[in-house]
Amino acid sequence: MDGSPLARLVIVLIFLGLLGLPVIALTREKPSAPVAAPSPEAASAREQKVDLVVTLSHPGRVEIRQANQVVAVSDALVSVLEKEITLPDTRAELTVTFHWADGVSPHAGRVVVSQDGETWADQTFWGDAEAQDVLSVQGPKQP
Amino acid sequence: MKLAIIAGLLASIVGAQAQEKLPVVSLGTVLTDLAQSVGGDHVAITSLVKAGQDPHDFEPTPGDVKAVSHAKVVLASGLGMESYLDKLRQAAGNGPTFLVVGEKVKSIPAPEEAEEGHEGHDHAGHDHDGGLDPHWWHSIANTKIAVRAIRDAFIAADPADKAVFEQNAKRELAKLDELAKWVRVEIAKLPANKRVLVTSHDALGYFARDYDFEIRPVQGISTNDQPSSKKVRDIISAIKQEKVKAIFFENMENPKVLTEILQETGAKVGGVLYADGLGQKEGNTYDSMIRHNVTTIVEALQ
């Protein structure tokens, strides 16, 4: 091969550099697409206002929690508790706690969650002085 | 006089037979606990896998095979948890009845990671049976099925004690209903977006199914294998994106990777979970194991 050694070295380096480009492109860590955190607007769009109706067999106290936050509570002994509550989504879990102090046994408490007249969840819980369980709200029935 | 002595001897022989306990061998710590609850004083259980022992590493000794051959009932988890089960069955001969509980429960597919990462469906030492997850006891509904199956196996082997087994099983099922209610109430404290479990060993698939959790296993931390740097980067990225607060471990055999993940993400150690069986002190019964796991998870993710 004719020409100066320096020119040959430059040509070889350029050649090697060109060969290396695809390797660099293949092995370079691609920046992962940023995952957008759900915006407050999107979160509130999923929120659902629903009607909660709790009926007790005997007057007692009721507390309803969602994700460990109180969403409905009776201040005194009640037979019926009605309240509009907000769920984070169409599906949610409500922790229901009843307290009775009248010595009667067994007691029952019924919890109904509905929206625009359509029932999303309806369950009766039984207990003596206390009853605690989870009501699973599944949202509107699929057609 | 002679007649009275003979009658007395016969009565003592019959009495001894009536008090003879049903010999049972268990191949899993959860099964041992359930069998003890159902069998009570009427069964003599030999637990080949001890509390705190990794069932994936267990291999029966010749002495264990002898115990199995003398048993009337052998309890196995199944779904590939006991890779030696077929050989043990052959060695035991026709004597014992094998109850493979995994064949009765509602199973789920084995974690994808294990299927991809280990040829021949081998995952941390055990073979996944047809790609099914063998850790069925993390679903209380499955455990209730196991209790009923154990009850029926005991009654078939020892019909004379049917009433005892039925009564004990009924009591155990009621306790499991109470436990299930307690778990529901505890888990309900966590909103849906916090139900992400980053664990060192993907054994909580049934728990995740029952309570709407997403599992992100960190393969490699609980084993001697080093996870690839890409794998660790992916885990760190996922933990950051999902704002996971805590990571749970079965044990910590790879603190280097753990430290890297914790430093990069700011997540904390959520605690140690009992995944493959009962513990030696805390979590030494099924009830306490479930309560420990649920309390650890809820407190860390709240």
Side-chain angles (χ1 to χ4, degrees):
Chain A
M1 198 164 146
D2 294 335
S4 73
L6 190 63
R8 278 188 285 171
L9 179 65
V10 170
I11 290 167
V12 168
L13 283 176
I14 290 170
F15 181 69
L16 287 174
L18 288 172
L19 274 178
L21 280 176
V23 177
I24 291 167
L26 279 173
T27 55
R28 188 177 57 187
E29 188 180 355
K30 290 175 185 170
S32 54
V35 175
S39 65
E41 293 80 16
S44 63
R46 288 200 305 271
E47 285 181 352
Q48 303 286 325
K49 285 196 183 302
V50 295
D51 298 315
L52 174 78
V53 180
V54 185
T55 313
L56 291 81
S57 59
H58 297 82
R61 293 183 186 276
V62 189
E63 183 187 83
I64 313 279
R65 286 174 176 256
Q66 198 278 315
N68 218 19
Q69 303 297 314
V70 176
V71 292
V73 64
S74 62
D75 296 326
L77 297 180
V78 294
S79 293
V80 177
L81 176 70
E82 292 181 318
K83 192 177 180 191
E84 185 183 70
I85 62 171
T86 304
L87 301 179
D89 207 332
T90 52
R91 294 182 67 190
E93 289 175 351
L94 298 177
T95 304
V96 183
T97 308
F98 296 100
H99 290 283
W100 290 278
D102 55 11
V104 180
S105 180
H107 290 103
R110 184 184 180 196
V111 185
V112 179
V113 175
S114 62
Q115 188 182 65
D116 301 330
E118 185 181 9
T119 302
W120 284 13
D122 182 349
Q123 196 170 337
T124 300
F125 302 94
W126 295 85
D128 296 325
E130 184 185 289
Q132 186 178 49
D133 209 330
V134 175
L135 175 69
S136 184
V137 181
Q138 298 294 329
K141 286 174 187 168
Q142 298 300 316
Chain B
M1 181 65 184
K2 281 182 183 175
L3 269 177
I5 292 169
I6 292 167
L9 280 171
L10 280 173
S12 65
I13 291 166
V14 169
Q17 282 178 339
Q19 287 171 0
E20 194 176 310
K21 295 181 177 183
L22 178 70
V24 176
V25 165
S26 166
L27 304 177
T29 52
V30 170
L31 288 170
T32 302
D33 187 51
L34 300 178
Q36 196 64 68
S37 298
V38 175
D41 294 337
H42 293 252
V43 295
I45 304 172
T46 304
S47 185
L48 299 190
V49 180
K50 311 294 182 207
Q53 188 177 4
D54 189 344
H56 305 310
D57 295 337
F58 177 77
E59 280 293 331
T61 64
D64 294 335
V65 175
K66 195 176 173 185
V68 168
S69 63
H70 287 126
K72 285 273 181 66
V73 179
V74 178
L75 304 173
S77 293
L79 302 179
M81 178 60 84
E82 301 94 353
S83 56
Y84 51 84
L85 191 58
D86 287 342
K87 286 178 186 171
L88 190 65
R89 216 192 281 252
Q90 283 175 4
N94 296 325
T97 298
F98 277 73
L99 171 61
V100 183
V101 175
E103 293 172 357
K104 311 270 183 189
V105 301
K106 290 171 183 167
S107 54
I108 60 173
E112 282 179 25
E113 194 72 25
E115 297 305 299
E116 290 167 4
H118 304 270
E119 284 185 17
H121 300 274
D122 182 56
H123 170 53
H126 62 263
D127 299 322
H128 286 157
D129 191 4
L132 298 174
D133 187 340
H135 308 89
W136 50 261
W137 54 86
H138 289 294
S139 165
I140 296 175
N142 276 345
T143 305
K144 289 178 69 179
I145 293 172
V147 167
R148 292 191 188 99
I150 291 169
R151 174 199 63 195
D152 295 345
F154 284 0
I155 290 172
D158 179 14
D161 284 328
K162 180 182 177 186
V164 173
F165 297 144
E166 282 183 337
Q167 190 181 0
N168 289 349
K170 190 178 176 184
R171 190 168 55 234
E172 184 64 16
L173 291 168
K175 278 175 64 182
L176 289 171
D177 283 338
E178 277 299 310
L179 180 65
K181 186 196 283 188
W182 179 85
V183 173
R184 280 198 300 274
V185 170
E186 288 300 304
I187 296 295
K189 293 175 181 173
L190 291 177
N193 63 354
K194 287 188 177 176
R195 297 190 188 184
V196 179
L197 275 178
V198 181
T199 65
S200 63
H201 176 46
D202 195 353
L204 295 169
Y206 290 93
F207 178 85
R209 176 196 65 179
D210 286 2
Y211 303 107
D212 286 334
F213 275 80
E214 189 185 334
I215 299 257
R216 289 201 176 270
V218 187
Q219 295 286 331
I221 282 182
S222 66
T223 71
N224 292 319
D225 302 328
Q226 286 280 348
S228 68
S229 56
K230 182 183 181 306
K231 175 78 184 174
V232 174
R233 276 203 313 275
D234 289 347
I235 291 164
I236 289 170
S237 174
I239 290 171
K240 282 180 176 174
Q241 283 173 12
E242 296 185 27
K243 296 177 181 166
V244 173
K245 288 176 71 176
I247 305 171
F248 301 91
F249 296 91
E250 194 179 342
N251 50 41
M252 299 182 192
E253 291 176 13
N254 199 337
K256 191 180 164 194
V257 177
L258 162 66
T259 306
E260 184 183 347
I261 291 174
L262 293 177
Q263 281 177 348
E264 288 279 339
T265 60
K268 63 180 179 181
V269 175
V272 177
L273 303 177
Y274 296 106
D276 282 327
L278 303 184
Q280 285 173 303
K281 290 179 183 172
E282 195 178 13
N284 61 355
T285 63
Y286 180 76
D287 187 273
S288 63
M289 178 193 76
I290 294 290
R291 286 178 192 270
H292 167 89
N293 283 353
V294 169
T295 303
T296 303
I297 289 167
V298 172
E299 284 182 358
L301 297 181
Q302 243 180 338

